[in-house]
Amino acid sequence: MKAKPPSKPKTHLHLNQEEPQKPSEFSFAIARIAVSQICQSVGYKATQLSALNALTVVATKYLEAIAKSASSLANTSNRTQSNLLDLTLALHHLVTLHTSTLFSISSSGGGIIRDLADFVSFHDEIPFAKPIPRPQITSIPSWATSSSSFSHVPKWLPRFPDGVISCSVNERKCGERLWEDSVLGGGGIETECSTSSSNVIEQEKLKEGKLELDLERTEKVRFRITTTRGRGGGGLRMVCREEKRVCWNHHYNNKNITNNSINDDDVLDDDDDDQSNGIFDDEGLKKSGSKRKRR
Amino acid sequence: MNHNKQQSSDLGHDDDAALSDFLASLMDYTPTIPDELVEHFLAKSGFQSPDLRLTRLVAVATQKFIAEVASDALQQCKARQATVVRDKRDKQQKDKRLVLTMEDLSRALHEHGVNVKHQEYFADSPSIGMDPASRDE
């Protein structure tokens, strides 16, 4: 049998498979190349793909097993970094598991290292076939030089990436905006009592679509917010939904309203315990005067 | 007792010297498994070490293991070919086709404590391969 020069093995994968998409697939692909090189050095000329994959999985699990036992040995000795003794003992555990011969391990525990030294001296080195792109290690900026506005963040945490803070949170790509921001002036529904500034807010332009909430059922709901001059200074907010008009009152000061509630069709009584939510009512009940309905 | 102690201490010195020599030689030897890959898997399992020699040691240990498994599988393959061969012409042809198969691999791994089972074929339904007379239509 003539000696063949080290030819390209048939295990060279013509990419029938897709490029690896995830980091785990990437590392698996690299490991597969390394394992196939080892098999070629042993003497194989070709391999079944499933066999190669299985052997690669075994190799990765072997690596992880060494690392796990070495790190656990270090942890039991109150250390976080593993040293040579941990590694040697971990290898010792693994090798006694997978070899059947009992005499290969000498009592001093250096037998494994001796085996490895023999392996290194005996076998020629096989460099890896392809160049691996090295990850760019950029220094991670921390919060150490932060401004006072972010003083609640611990200094040792890394900073946010640049794009997060600068872009406005309130605007999305499809044009949706937060409801509060779409109201003219950015004021939105003011839950606080602001009796003095009860201007008439013409919200007709909201119908133009600035305030459109796309529900999941693709049902467009349009709100029209109007205020009427509160008889008695109360600000009454009305929200018009489609054709209905529902009203609620965020006004905390009940006095002015209760005085006029009898005559007023639009104003509903507001109780103290409804301050946070208001009362929603249908237009149909407007005619009933001071009847109140609570939902 | 003292003599034994002296002997063991001598052995300890020898071992240390051999160890340091070996670690120095590791830096010359480039394992087949690249350092970055080894570091990735070590970091995944919690092994932390700034020393490059330890990662190389792990890489060499893994390479030795895989080489052992592969050589065992190769021996199985060659043994199978030796039993099957009939005349000279077949021998030369079969020598060129050293293929790593799942069967050889599972036998080789079984000796090392890893149990690998491989499906021989996949079937669409339970009735495939059965006698057509007994198959329910």
Side-chain angles (χ1 to χ4, degrees), chain A residues 79-133:
Chain A
R79 277 178 285 115
T80 53
Q81 283 194 349
S82 310
N83 59 13
L84 183 63
L85 293 173
D86 296 329
L87 199 51
T88 308
L89 206 51
L91 282 171
H92 191 90
H93 289 159
L94 268 181
V95 169
T96 51
L97 281 178
H98 74 67
T99 52
S100 51
T101 60
L102 295 173
F103 298 107
S104 63
I105 314 297
S106 67
S107 58
S108 65
I112 301 188
I113 306 294
R114 211 163 285 138
D115 284 345
L116 288 177
D118 292 341
F119 179 80
V120 167
S121 59
F122 177 62
H123 287 75
D124 301 327
E125 68 178 61
I126 312 162
F128 192 67
K130 301 208 172 163
I132 302 175

Side-chain angles (χ1 to χ4, degrees), chain A residues 71 74-75 77-82, chain B residues 46-49:
Chain A
S71 65
N75 290 339
S77 314
N78 297 335
R79 277 178 285 115
T80 53
Q81 283 194 349
S82 310
Chain B
F47 182 97
Q48 206 179 359
S49 172

Side-chain angles (χ1 to χ4, degrees), chain A:
Chain A
M1 193 162 63
K2 57 180 177 179
K4 267 191 179 178
S7 58
K8 258 195 180 173
K10 285 182 192 173
T11 60
H12 180 69
L13 296 169
H14 307 285
L15 289 172
N16 314 332
Q17 307 131 21
E18 292 176 1
E19 303 268 343
Q21 300 293 332
K22 300 176 207 168
S24 59
E25 293 179 9
F26 181 66
S27 56
F28 186 78
I30 297 180
R32 189 166 49 192
I33 295 179
V35 164
S36 66
Q37 280 187 271
I38 297 174
C39 289
Q40 187 200 7
S41 74
V42 167
Y44 274 108
K45 294 293 178 286
T47 177
Q48 285 180 351
L49 202 57
S50 56
L52 185 62
N53 283 338
L55 193 54
T56 312
V57 169
V58 167
T60 56
K61 288 198 182 293
Y62 191 77
L63 263 177
E64 289 174 9
I66 296 177
K68 251 193 231 181
S69 57
S71 65
S72 71
L73 282 168
N75 290 339
T76 51
S77 314
N78 297 335
R79 277 178 285 115
T80 53
Q81 283 194 349
S82 310
N83 59 13
L84 183 63
L85 293 173
D86 296 329
L87 199 51
T88 308
L89 206 51
L91 282 171
H92 191 90
H93 289 159
L94 268 181
V95 169
T96 51
L97 281 178
H98 74 67
T99 52
S100 51
T101 60
L102 295 173
F103 298 107
S104 63
I105 314 297
S106 67
S107 58
S108 65
I112 301 188
I113 306 294
R114 211 163 285 138
D115 284 345
L116 288 177
D118 292 341
F119 179 80
V120 167
S121 59
F122 177 62
H123 287 75
D124 301 327
E125 68 178 61
I126 312 162
F128 192 67
K130 301 208 172 163
I132 302 175
R134 288 182 179 266
Q136 299 168 0
I137 303 172
T138 57
S139 62
I140 304 171
S142 67
W143 285 104
T145 58
S146 68
S147 59
S148 61
S149 61
F150 292 108
S151 57
H152 60 282
V153 184
K155 302 285 181 203
W156 45 269
L157 281 178
R159 274 187 176 271
F160 286 121
D162 286 332
V164 171
I165 297 180
S166 58
C167 77
S168 87
V169 186
N170 298 330
E171 201 162 314
R172 289 193 185 177
K173 285 179 189 172
C174 57
E176 288 178 358
R177 294 179 67 193
L178 286 178
W179 192 48
E180 290 89 45
D181 290 341
S182 300
V183 175
L184 181 65
I189 301 295
E190 296 168 30
T191 55
E192 300 158 10
C193 172
S194 57
T195 60
S196 58
S197 63
S198 59
N199 301 318
V200 177
I201 301 177
E202 296 295 328
Q203 302 302 327
E204 253 66 43
K205 53 173 77 175
L206 285 181
K207 266 194 178 175
E208 289 168 7
K210 269 196 183 177
L211 195 70
E212 282 183 39
L213 299 178
D214 284 328
L215 300 180
E216 283 178 11
R217 297 172 221 120
T218 68
E219 196 182 287
K220 285 199 177 172
V221 174
R222 291 185 193 168
F223 290 91
R224 192 167 59 133
I225 304 174
T226 60
T227 53
T228 59
R229 297 242 174 198
R231 288 135 185 132
L236 174 70
R237 313 277 175 177
M238 291 202 327
V239 175
C240 309
R241 183 170 181 271
E242 308 277 18
E243 300 305 322
K244 279 188 179 181
R245 295 161 83 191
V246 297
C247 327
W248 78 93
N249 194 354
H250 280 279
H251 186 59
Y252 296 92
N253 188 4
N254 296 326
K255 293 178 196 169
N256 293 331
I257 295 198
T258 50
N259 287 334
N260 302 320
S261 63
I262 301 172
N263 300 327
D264 198 356
D265 286 340
D266 293 332
V267 178
L268 299 171
D269 281 330
D270 193 8
D271 280 346
D272 283 343
D273 51 351
D274 279 335
Q275 278 174 9
S276 54
N277 292 331
I279 309 174
F280 287 85
D281 196 0
D282 254 341
E283 188 185 8
L285 290 176
K286 263 174 66 178
K287 311 262 163 91
S288 56
S290 60
K291 223 193 227 175
R292 54 177 116 144
K293 198 167 187 183
R294 212 173 290 166
R295 286 203 187 159

Side-chain angles (χ1 to χ4, degrees), chain A residues 37-38 41 115-128, chain B residues 21-35 52-53 55-65 67:
Chain A
Q37 280 187 271
I38 297 174
S41 74
D115 284 345
L116 288 177
D118 292 341
F119 179 80
V120 167
S121 59
F122 177 62
H123 287 75
D124 301 327
E125 68 178 61
I126 312 162
F128 192 67
Chain B
D21 286 344
F22 170 59
L23 289 177
S25 70
L26 261 187
M27 294 315 291
D28 294 333
Y29 183 88
T30 309
T32 307
I33 309 176
D35 285 336
L52 186 62
R53 298 176 297 178
T55 51
R56 290 243 166 135
L57 186 64
V58 175
V60 166
T62 309
Q63 186 177 346
K64 177 167 178 287
F65 173 69

